[in-house]
Coordinates of all heavy atoms in Angstrom, one line a residue:
D18 N 55.4 43.9 33.8 CA 55.2 43.3 32.5 C 56.2 42.1 32.3 O 57.2 42.1 32.9 CB 55.6 44.4 31.4 CG 55.0 44.1 30.1 OD1 54.2 43.1 30.0 OD2 55.2 44.9 29.1
E19 N 55.7 41.2 31.5 CA 56.5 39.9 31.3 C 56.8 39.3 32.6 O 58.0 38.9 32.9 CB 57.8 40.2 30.5 CG 57.5 40.9 29.2 CD 58.8 41.3 28.4 OE1 59.9 40.8 28.9 OE2 58.7 42.0 27.5
I20 N 55.8 39.1 33.5 CA 56.0 38.6 34.8 C 56.6 37.2 34.8 O 57.3 36.7 35.7 CB 54.7 38.6 35.6 CG1 54.9 38.2 37.1 CG2 53.6 37.7 35.0 CD1 55.7 39.2 37.9
D21 N 56.4 36.4 33.7 CA 56.9 35.1 33.6 C 58.4 35.0 33.6 O 59.0 34.0 34.0 CB 56.3 34.4 32.3 CG 56.5 35.3 31.1 OD1 55.8 36.3 30.9 OD2 57.4 34.9 30.2
S22 N 59.0 36.1 33.1 CA 60.5 36.1 33.1 C 61.1 36.4 34.5 O 62.2 36.1 34.8 CB 61.0 37.2 32.1 OG 60.6 38.5 32.6
L23 N 60.2 37.0 35.3 CA 60.7 37.3 36.7 C 60.3 36.2 37.7 O 61.0 36.0 38.7 CB 60.0 38.6 37.1 CG 60.4 39.2 38.5 CD1 61.8 39.5 38.6 CD2 59.5 40.4 38.8
A24 N 59.2 35.5 37.4 CA 58.6 34.6 38.4 C 58.3 33.2 37.7 O 57.3 32.6 37.9 CB 57.4 35.1 39.0
S25 N 59.3 32.7 36.9 CA 59.1 31.4 36.3 C 59.2 30.3 37.3 O 59.7 30.6 38.4 CB 60.1 31.2 35.2 OG 61.4 31.4 35.7
Q26 N 58.8 29.2 37.0 CA 58.7 28.1 38.0 C 60.1 27.8 38.5 O 61.1 27.7 37.7 CB 58.1 26.8 37.3 CG 56.7 27.0 36.9 CD 56.1 25.7 36.4 OE1 56.5 24.6 36.7 NE2 55.1 25.9 35.5
R27 N 60.2 27.6 39.8 CA 61.5 27.4 40.4 C 62.1 26.1 40.1 O 61.4 25.1 40.0 CB 61.4 27.6 41.9 CG 61.3 29.0 42.4 CD 61.1 29.2 43.8 NE 59.6 28.9 44.1 CZ 59.1 29.2 45.3 NH1 59.8 29.7 46.3 NH2 57.8 28.9 45.5
E28 N 63.4 26.0 40.0 CA 64.1 24.8 39.8 C 64.4 24.1 41.1 O 64.2 24.6 42.2 CB 65.4 25.1 39.0 CG 65.2 25.8 37.7 CD 66.5 26.2 37.1 OE1 67.6 26.0 37.7 OE2 66.5 26.9 36.0
S29 N 64.8 22.9 41.0 CA 65.1 22.0 42.2 C 66.5 22.3 42.8 O 67.1 21.4 43.3 CB 64.9 20.6 41.8 OG 65.8 20.2 40.8
S30 N 67.0 23.5 42.6 CA 68.3 23.8 43.1 C 68.4 24.5 44.4 O 69.3 25.2 44.7 CB 69.1 24.6 42.0 OG 68.3 25.7 41.7
E31 N 67.3 24.4 45.2 CA 67.2 25.0 46.5 C 67.5 26.5 46.5 O 68.1 27.0 47.4 CB 68.2 24.3 47.5 CG 67.9 22.8 47.7 CD 66.5 22.6 48.3 OE1 66.1 23.4 49.1 OE2 65.9 21.5 48.0
G32 N 67.0 27.2 45.4 CA 67.2 28.6 45.4 C 68.5 29.1 45.1 O 68.9 30.2 45.5
S33 N 69.4 28.3 44.5 CA 70.8 28.7 44.4 C 71.0 29.7 43.2 O 71.9 30.4 43.2 CB 71.7 27.4 44.1 OG 71.2 26.8 42.9
N34 N 70.1 29.7 42.2 CA 70.3 30.7 41.2 C 69.5 32.0 41.4 O 68.6 32.0 42.3 CB 69.9 30.1 39.8 CG 68.5 29.7 39.7 OD1 67.6 30.6 40.0 ND2 68.1 28.5 39.3
V35 N 69.9 33.0 40.7 CA 69.3 34.3 40.9 C 67.8 34.4 40.7 O 67.1 35.1 41.4 CB 70.1 35.4 40.1 CG1 69.9 35.1 38.6 CG2 69.7 36.8 40.4
G36 N 67.3 33.6 39.7 CA 65.9 33.6 39.4 C 65.1 33.1 40.6 O 64.1 33.7 41.0
N37 N 65.6 32.1 41.2 CA 64.9 31.5 42.4 C 64.9 32.5 43.6 O 63.9 32.7 44.3 CB 65.6 30.2 42.9 CG 65.3 29.1 41.9 OD1 64.5 29.2 40.9 ND2 65.9 28.0 42.1
R38 N 66.0 33.2 43.8 CA 66.1 34.1 44.9 C 65.2 35.4 44.7 O 64.6 35.9 45.6 CB 67.6 34.6 45.1 CG 68.5 33.4 45.4 CD 69.8 34.0 46.0 NE 70.5 34.9 45.1 CZ 71.4 34.6 44.2 NH1 71.7 33.3 44.0 NH2 71.9 35.5 43.4
V39 N 65.2 35.8 43.4 CA 64.3 37.0 43.1 C 62.9 36.6 43.3 O 62.1 37.4 43.9 CB 64.5 37.5 41.7 CG1 63.5 38.4 41.2 CG2 65.9 38.1 41.5
L40 N 62.4 35.4 42.9 CA 61.1 35.0 43.1 C 60.7 34.9 44.6 O 59.7 35.3 45.0 CB 60.8 33.7 42.4 CG 59.4 33.0 42.7 CD1 58.3 34.0 42.2 CD2 59.3 31.7 41.9
T41 N 61.7 34.3 45.4 CA 61.5 34.2 46.8 C 61.3 35.6 47.4 O 60.4 35.8 48.3 CB 62.7 33.5 47.5 OG1 62.8 32.2 46.9 CG2 62.5 33.4 49.0
Q42 N 62.1 36.6 47.0 CA 62.0 37.9 47.5 C 60.7 38.6 47.1 O 60.1 39.3 47.9 CB 63.2 38.8 47.0 CG 63.2 40.2 47.6 CD 63.5 40.2 49.1 OE1 64.4 39.4 49.6 NE2 62.7 41.0 49.9
L43 N 60.2 38.3 45.9 CA 59.0 38.8 45.4 C 57.8 38.3 46.3 O 56.9 39.1 46.7 CB 58.8 38.5 44.0 CG 57.5 39.0 43.3 CD1 57.4 40.5 43.3 CD2 57.4 38.5 41.9
L44 N 57.8 37.0 46.6 CA 56.8 36.4 47.4 C 56.8 37.0 48.8 O 55.8 37.3 49.4 CB 57.0 34.9 47.5 CG 56.9 34.1 46.2 CD1 57.2 32.7 46.4 CD2 55.5 34.3 45.6
I45 N 58.0 37.3 49.4 CA 58.1 37.9 50.7 C 57.5 39.3 50.7 O 56.8 39.6 51.6 CB 59.6 37.9 51.1 CG1 60.1 36.5 51.4 CG2 59.8 38.8 52.4 CD1 61.6 36.5 51.6
E46 N 57.8 40.1 49.7 CA 57.3 41.4 49.6 C 55.7 41.4 49.5 O 55.1 42.2 50.1 CB 57.9 42.2 48.4 CG 59.4 42.4 48.6 CD 59.8 43.3 49.8 OE1 58.9 44.1 50.2 OE2 60.9 43.1 50.3
I47 N 55.2 40.5 48.7 CA 53.8 40.5 48.5 C 53.1 40.1 49.8 O 52.1 40.7 50.2 CB 53.4 39.5 47.4 CG1 53.9 40.0 46.0 CG2 51.9 39.3 47.3 CD1 53.7 39.1 44.8
D48 N 53.6 39.1 50.5 CA 53.0 38.6 51.7 C 53.1 39.7 52.8 O 52.2 39.9 53.6 CB 53.7 37.4 52.3 CG 53.4 36.2 51.4 OD1 52.4 36.2 50.7 OD2 54.2 35.2 51.5
G49 N 54.1 40.6 52.7 CA 54.2 41.7 53.7 C 53.3 42.8 53.4 O 53.3 43.8 54.2
M50 N 52.6 42.8 52.3 CA 51.8 43.9 51.9 C 50.5 44.0 52.7 O 49.7 45.0 52.6 CB 51.4 43.8 50.4 CG 52.6 44.1 49.5 SD 52.1 44.0 47.7 CE 51.0 45.4 47.6
E51 N 50.3 43.1 53.6 CA 49.1 43.2 54.5 C 49.3 44.5 55.4 O 48.3 45.0 55.8 CB 49.1 42.0 55.4 CG 48.7 40.7 54.7 CD 48.7 39.5 55.6 OE1 49.0 39.6 56.7 OE2 48.4 38.4 55.1
Q52 N 50.5 44.9 55.6 CA 50.7 46.1 56.4 C 50.6 47.4 55.5 O 50.7 48.5 56.1 CB 52.1 46.1 57.1 CG 52.3 44.8 57.9 CD 51.2 44.7 59.0 OE1 50.9 45.7 59.6 NE2 50.7 43.5 59.2
L53 N 50.4 47.3 54.2 CA 50.4 48.4 53.3 C 48.9 48.7 52.9 O 48.1 47.8 52.9 CB 51.2 48.2 52.1 CG 52.7 47.9 52.3 CD1 53.4 47.7 51.0 CD2 53.4 49.0 53.1
K54 N 48.7 49.9 52.6 CA 47.4 50.3 52.1 C 47.5 50.9 50.7 O 48.4 51.7 50.4 CB 46.7 51.3 53.0 CG 46.3 50.7 54.4 CD 45.6 51.7 55.2 CE 45.2 51.2 56.6 NZ 44.5 52.2 57.4
N55 N 46.5 50.5 49.9 CA 46.4 51.1 48.5 C 47.6 50.9 47.7 O 48.0 51.8 46.9 CB 46.0 52.6 48.6 CG 44.7 52.8 49.3 OD1 43.8 51.9 49.2 ND2 44.5 53.9 49.9
V56 N 48.3 49.7 47.8 CA 49.4 49.4 46.9 C 48.9 48.1 46.2 O 48.6 47.1 46.8 CB 50.7 49.1 47.6 CG1 51.7 48.6 46.6 CG2 51.2 50.4 48.3
F57 N 48.9 48.1 44.9 CA 48.3 47.0 44.1 C 49.4 46.5 43.1 O 50.1 47.3 42.5 CB 47.1 47.5 43.3 CG 46.0 48.1 44.2 CD1 46.0 49.5 44.4 CD2 45.0 47.3 44.7 CE1 45.0 50.0 45.2 CE2 44.0 47.8 45.5 CZ 44.0 49.2 45.7
I58 N 49.3 45.2 42.9 CA 50.2 44.6 41.9 C 49.3 44.2 40.7 O 48.4 43.5 40.8 CB 50.9 43.4 42.4 CG1 51.8 43.8 43.6 CG2 51.8 42.8 41.3 CD1 52.5 42.5 44.2
V59 N 49.7 44.7 39.5 CA 49.0 44.3 38.3 C 50.2 43.7 37.4 O 51.2 44.4 37.2 CB 48.3 45.4 37.5 CG1 47.7 44.9 36.2 CG2 47.2 46.0 38.4

């Protein structure tokens, strides 16, 4: 819920702030879901 607060557009600070790092980790986890079955993000 409120995904915009977790994945707002990244700033040009090369991922130095926590928001950028969390978004990067979220993208990594989603891309890794090819190995998972029956896990959905809504």
Side-chain angles (χ1 to χ4, degrees):
D18 199 6
E19 302 175 13
I20 187 69
D21 51 288
S22 64
L23 181 65
S25 57
Q26 296 184 25
R27 283 174 283 192
E28 301 172 1
S29 58
S30 52
E31 299 298 328
S33 61
N34 64 52
V35 64
N37 289 355
R38 297 198 305 271
V39 167
L40 175 57
T41 299
Q42 186 64 46
L43 181 62
L44 297 176
I45 291 171
E46 296 297 332
I47 294 174
D48 289 341
M50 289 182 66
E51 293 178 356
Q52 305 301 319
L53 303 181
K54 292 183 178 180
N55 297 332
V56 176
F57 305 90
I58 299 175
V59 179

